[in-house]
Amino acid sequence: MIRHLLHISHVSKHFGGNVAVSDVSFSVDEQQIFGLIGPNGAGKSTLFNCMTGFFPASSGEVIFDNKKINALRPDEVCRLGMVRTWQRVKPLGSLTVLENVMIGAFSITSVTREAEAIARENLHAVGLMDYAGKLAGSLPVGLKKKLELARVLATHPKMLLLDEICGGLNPTETGIILDIIRGVRQKGATIVFIEHDMKAVTSICDRIVVLNSGEKLAEGTPEEITNNPDVIDAYLGGGHNA
Ligand SMILES: Nc1ncnc2c1ncn2[C@@H]1O[C@H](COP(=O)(O)OP(=O)(O)O)[C@@H](O)[C@H]1O
Ligand SMILES: [Mg+2]
């Protein structure tokens, strides 16, 4: 049976006088791949930050897995099963690739040997096993994105928030990441996907919300969104794509 895993209800976020997110509501079903798109500065990353406890929403509610999580810290949200990746990847450069992924695994086990086994499993899943012993800082960006994905997968999340995980990747690398995401969904996870590459978005997302200047501009299937005149006007048609 399909159920909502996430409810965003009238969420706003102000930074002083700057309204970054304004009265945004939508729901994400379990095992959905849900796209969050819109021009630069639309409030997408800020919404992820409000959802994962990096800073609280100014108003509104974030309900995850039937719990109100507005006031929780990122580590608490992670333990409930929701994790995010960062638009600018943040590996711990002086640790190895394996150690970086073990940090994710330590959120579900305190036994080092278990954390290492979980880390290796997820390095394997993203195709990074050959790099396990390399320093994370030495990887090119495409591989850092895979590392970021392995690190969040090692927390065994129910919901994965991916902030421009394909940004800066070529079409081949993007295709590989999309296949990994499809596999993760197949195993039961739910995904919210921020991305500018509309080919990637429409090929992978079941449903899409468009943000513009902090407000929800539209919601629908990929087909409805790509044919929506307001969306074409504000984002798709006008050379706003970053
Ligand atoms: N920590 C912050 N402090 C002040 N303003 C912020 C902060 N984070 C984001 N903003 C502002 O919020 C708005 C939305 O930014 P952001 O969420 O990064 O957009 P997007 O991810 O859609 O490109 C922008 O105007 C940005 O300058
Ligand atoms: Mg962003």
Side-chain angles (χ1 to χ4, degrees):
M1 200 185 77
I2 292 177
R3 67 166 188 130
H4 292 328
L5 184 59
L6 175 75
H7 281 290
I8 302 292
S9 178
H10 300 288
V11 166
S12 297
K13 177 67 190 176
H14 308 226
F15 295 103
N18 179 7
V19 182
V21 176
S22 175
D23 196 27
V24 169
S25 300
F26 59 87
S27 297
V28 180
D29 293 341
E30 207 161 36
Q31 268 193 290
Q32 222 168 23
I33 300 181
F34 198 97
L36 189 58
I37 67 171
N40 280 326
K44 306 177 297 293
S45 297
T46 299
L47 191 56
F48 271 14
N49 284 331
C50 293
M51 288 157 67
T52 47
F54 284 92
F55 35 67
S58 308
S59 58
E61 289 194 334
V62 181
I63 311 282
F64 176 67
D65 209 6
N66 296 319
K67 287 172 212 75
K68 183 175 167 179
I69 62 165
N70 289 54
L72 299 187
R73 294 187 313 261
D75 59 308
E76 294 171 323
V77 175
C78 172
R79 276 193 195 93
L80 288 180
M82 179 155 70
V83 288
R84 67 164 298 168
T85 64
W86 297 91
Q87 188 171 339
R88 289 200 183 84
V89 288
K90 296 180 170 183
L92 298 164
S94 57
L95 297 185
T96 66
V97 166
L98 179 68
E99 287 163 343
N100 267 271
V101 182
M102 285 173 71
I103 290 170
F106 278 126
S107 75
I108 52 169
T109 179
S110 51
V111 181
T112 305
R113 202 157 8 105
E114 278 176 21
E116 185 174 336
I118 294 166
R120 286 189 185 281
E121 197 180 299
N122 285 290
L123 283 177
H124 183 71
V126 303
L128 274 187
M129 262 322 272
D130 291 348
Y131 298 86
K134 294 251 183 323
L135 288 184
S138 72
L139 298 184
V141 66
L143 299 185
K144 278 185 180 146
K145 296 264 181 176
K146 286 184 175 175
L147 170 58
E148 184 94 346
L149 201 48
R151 186 166 57 170
V152 291
L153 289 175
T155 69
H156 290 178
K158 292 188 186 122
M159 179 171 272
L160 211 53
L161 310 179
L162 303 176
D163 197 345
E164 301 196 20
I165 191 85
C166 302
L169 303 187
N170 65 39
T172 310
E173 292 167 326
T174 296
I176 292 168
I177 296 275
L178 294 184
D179 281 342
I180 295 167
I181 295 170
R182 288 190 187 97
V184 170
R185 182 257 287 275
Q186 204 65 38
K187 286 193 191 142
T190 308
I191 290 126
V192 185
F193 185 62
I194 295 178
E195 181 54 55
H196 285 292
D197 176 347
M198 282 306 289
K199 202 161 153 244
V201 170
T202 53
S203 74
I204 203 171
C205 293
D206 305 305
R207 199 165 178 79
I208 297 171
V209 157
V210 186
L211 293 186
N212 189 39
S213 304
E215 293 176 5
K216 180 165 130 178
L217 179 68
E219 173 172 355
T221 62
E223 200 188 345
E224 286 163 351
I225 291 301
T226 47
N227 291 310
N228 182 314
D230 294 338
V231 177
I232 293 168
D233 233 27
Y235 181 50
L236 298 178
H240 295 279
N241 267 7

